[in-house]
Amino acid sequence: IRIAQMGAQILLGFLLAVAYTSVLQDAEDGDRRLYAVAVVVATGAVVLLLGIVPLHRLNFGLRARPEILELGHVLAVAGLVMLGGAIVLSVLMAARIAMPDLVLPVVVPVVVLVVCAWVLLPLWLRSRAGRERAEGPAPSASATGSRDDASG
């Protein structure tokens, strides 16, 4: 989560810095609207990901650990969703301004990477772990009579 928090803050910082450049001032209305949406989504990601900190600090010592963990999980997942959206929107904005003829070839791989790394891979692992738990523990090496070490 710490890496996501820092990444979201850096992305938001870069997006806010763009407001002071001539690139944005010379951009078309649609690109400026896209920029505004990217800033709002990146800001949402920062707020949600950092919201975990006051959630814990303001409830420390109140014996509310299950609730803190549950709400922290919700904030983290929502923040990561918004961060993924902010990354895609930022790349889309940059591509529209810098390479208008290559928007799809630039943005589609980013969307695929975000969806695969942040959604499909974790859900695949979750389903695999759930199946293994349902099937029971795997037989140990001693139960099957085999040895894991090379000394044999």
Side-chain angles (χ1 to χ4, degrees):
I1 291 298
R2 290 180 185 160
I3 294 169
Q5 290 168 330
M6 185 178 296
Q9 292 171 6
I10 291 169
L11 177 58
L12 179 59
F14 278 119
L15 284 171
L16 292 174
V18 169
Y20 300 100
T21 67
S22 61
V23 171
L24 188 62
Q25 293 167 358
D26 297 338
E28 296 177 12
D29 284 343
D31 293 328
R32 283 197 294 273
R33 282 191 210 99
L34 179 61
Y35 167 77
V37 171
V39 168
V40 169
V41 173
T43 302
V46 169
V47 169
L48 290 170
L49 290 169
L50 291 178
I52 298 166
V53 176
L55 176 68
H56 180 264
R57 297 304 343 145
L58 294 175
N59 292 290
F60 182 76
L62 298 179
R63 299 187 187 270
R65 185 168 188 211
E67 294 86 356
I68 292 169
L69 291 175
E70 189 173 324
L71 287 172
H73 172 73
V74 170
L75 289 173
V77 170
L80 288 171
V81 167
M82 292 197 86
L83 179 56
I87 291 169
V88 170
L89 287 168
S90 299
V91 171
L92 175 60
M93 182 184 69
R96 283 178 50 122
I97 292 172
M99 308 165 274
D101 296 337
L102 298 173
V103 170
L104 283 179
V106 169
V107 175
V108 169
V110 173
V111 171
V112 169
L113 280 172
V114 169
V115 169
C116 286
W118 291 15
V119 178
L120 298 179
L121 188 59
L123 289 177
W124 171 78
L125 182 60
R126 181 183 179 117
S127 71
R128 183 173 166 227
R131 277 194 311 271
E132 288 175 2
R133 258 187 253 119
E135 294 170 359
S140 66
S142 61
T144 60
S146 65
R147 296 182 66 144
D148 289 337
D149 60 338
S151 63

